[in-house]
Amino acid sequence: MKYENILVNIEGQLAQITINRPNKLNALNKDTIQELHGAFTQLEKNKKVRAIIITGSGEKAFVAGADIAEFANFSVKQGKKLAAKGQELLFNFIENLSKPVIAAINGFALGGGLELAMACHFRVASTNAKMGLPEVSLGVIPGYGGTQRLPQLVGRGRAMEMIMTAGMIDAAKALEYGLVNHVVPQDELLGHCTQLAGKISNNSPVAISYAIKAINDCFNTSVNGYDTEIDGFGKCFGTSDFKEGTSAFLDKRKAHFPGK
Ligand code: COA
């Protein structure tokens, strides 16, 4: 599939998506969201791929937000549709993807950019990264899940302050808040994420997919996450991955998970 706004690179079991609009600080316009949806859909189907890293091109920005130029003249109805469609196609889609997605935050992650990073399963930032949800400074609120995922990650009080002040925090503060898991120099960012993705890829993809679902259901008020865990735990017993994992342990050898 050919993309205009993103680059997709697959090497072995790892895929990397790079949002590639550096002149617009990788701002998320409609086409980019659609392309990202297409890329994640393809990568989820690709049996070889076991982990995905998403980053921004250039040294300045991960993603500087939703494309302000695109929605500046929207009506109430169009505004609602923009948020709903974006959440469905990209943000909720990534969160519920069966494969692990790591955000490599290489610079500004603002508005929709931070929301994108927060929809990923976890985040690693470079030391120069700056994060924030500046929407209220534009007279709008975060619309791609920011009001929900930020309090989940940093707590209600910090989320309130970040959203109400529209301010940015640096990578060190983001680490202290638990918004990112690691902070590394920019030239080590992708290497660090690749290493983490490699560790993940050695484990059972099927078990990881059930773990993602169960962890996500911790924050899903319409279901009981403990029930999701019980269901996933039980289902693992019917998989080839489980047979391989347990026999490898008992045979004192490294497991090679077939991913089914
Ligand atoms: N939407 C559309 N275009 C954006 C953008 C966004 N969210 N963020 C940056 N850009 C564009 C700028 O308009 C500029 O384009 P131009 O060269 O055609 O004028 C280009 O990217 C470079 O940005 P610029 O503002 O010149 O860079 P800077 O280093 O001076 O400032 C930021 C960097 C991130 C502080 C600044 O770009 C910014 O505040 N962006 C908006 C952040 C935001 O409010 N995001 C939430 C949106 S809901």
Side-chain angles (χ1 to χ4, degrees):
M1 198 164 166
K2 189 137 175 40
Y3 302 112
E4 300 286 329
N5 302 294
I6 63 171
L7 306 168
V8 181
N9 183 43
I10 302 177
E11 250 182 77
Q13 297 181 316
L14 175 65
Q16 183 181 314
I17 299 178
T18 307
I19 299 165
N20 193 29
R21 300 181 74 213
N23 295 341
K24 295 290 170 194
L25 302 187
N26 305 319
L28 290 178
N29 60 4
K30 210 168 136 214
D31 290 349
T32 307
I33 289 181
Q34 195 65 52
E35 288 186 11
L36 285 167
H37 176 77
F40 277 109
T41 305
Q42 291 298 317
L43 293 174
E44 183 159 53
K45 281 192 207 142
N46 185 330
K47 290 208 160 49
K48 284 192 199 135
V49 172
R50 296 205 170 175
I52 302 163
I53 294 171
I54 181 164
T55 194
S57 82
E59 295 187 345
K60 200 168 165 183
F62 172 71
V63 170
D67 194 319
I68 300 170
E70 208 175 55
F71 65 69
N73 297 314
F74 271 14
S75 65
V76 170
K77 198 170 160 198
Q78 287 172 308
K80 267 195 192 177
K81 194 170 163 207
L82 179 76
K85 203 82 196 133
Q87 290 192 17
E88 179 199 328
L89 283 181
L90 188 58
F91 300 82
N92 298 351
F93 193 78
I94 292 179
E95 185 170 75
N96 295 313
L97 209 76
S98 60
K99 297 182 181 181
V101 185
I102 305 171
I105 306 176
N106 56 310
F108 288 114
L110 302 174
L114 181 55
E115 289 173 302
L116 176 64
M118 292 193 294
C120 296
H121 298 123
F122 62 90
R123 289 143 293 284
V124 181
S126 54
T127 41
N128 63 308
K130 292 238 168 10
M131 286 154 257
L133 293 179
E135 283 85 347
V136 299
S137 72
L138 297 166
V140 68
I141 67 167
Y144 289 148
T147 63
Q148 306 303 297
R149 293 192 183 98
L150 189 62
Q152 287 169 9
L153 286 164
V154 306
R156 192 198 302 214
R158 286 165 170 168
M160 286 279 189
E161 183 180 333
M162 282 180 68
I163 290 172
M164 291 193 286
T165 60
M168 292 184 211
I169 59 170
D170 62 16
K173 181 67 87 184
L175 184 65
E176 182 196 324
Y177 277 11
L179 184 53
V180 301
N181 291 10
H182 310 275
V183 175
V184 296
Q186 193 173 46
D187 59 354
E188 293 171 23
L189 180 65
L190 289 175
H192 194 88
C193 291
T194 302
Q195 235 177 21
L196 285 166
K199 270 193 186 176
I200 291 170
S201 302
N202 288 334
N203 298 319
S204 157
V206 185
I208 286 172
S209 72
Y210 288 136
I212 291 172
K213 192 166 174 12
I215 295 166
N216 281 344
D217 278 354
C218 179
F219 302 98
N220 180 350
T221 49
S222 62
V223 292
N224 181 331
Y226 290 94
D227 289 342
T228 308
E229 184 180 279
I230 290 167
D231 186 55
F233 182 80
K235 282 181 175 154
C236 287
F237 285 76
T239 66
S240 306
D241 276 8
F242 177 70
K243 285 186 182 60
E244 168 62 8
T246 45
S247 355
F249 178 81
L250 295 172
D251 297 347
K252 299 191 188 307
R253 63 173 171 82
K254 192 175 178 304
H256 294 284
F257 292 104
K260 53 186 185 181

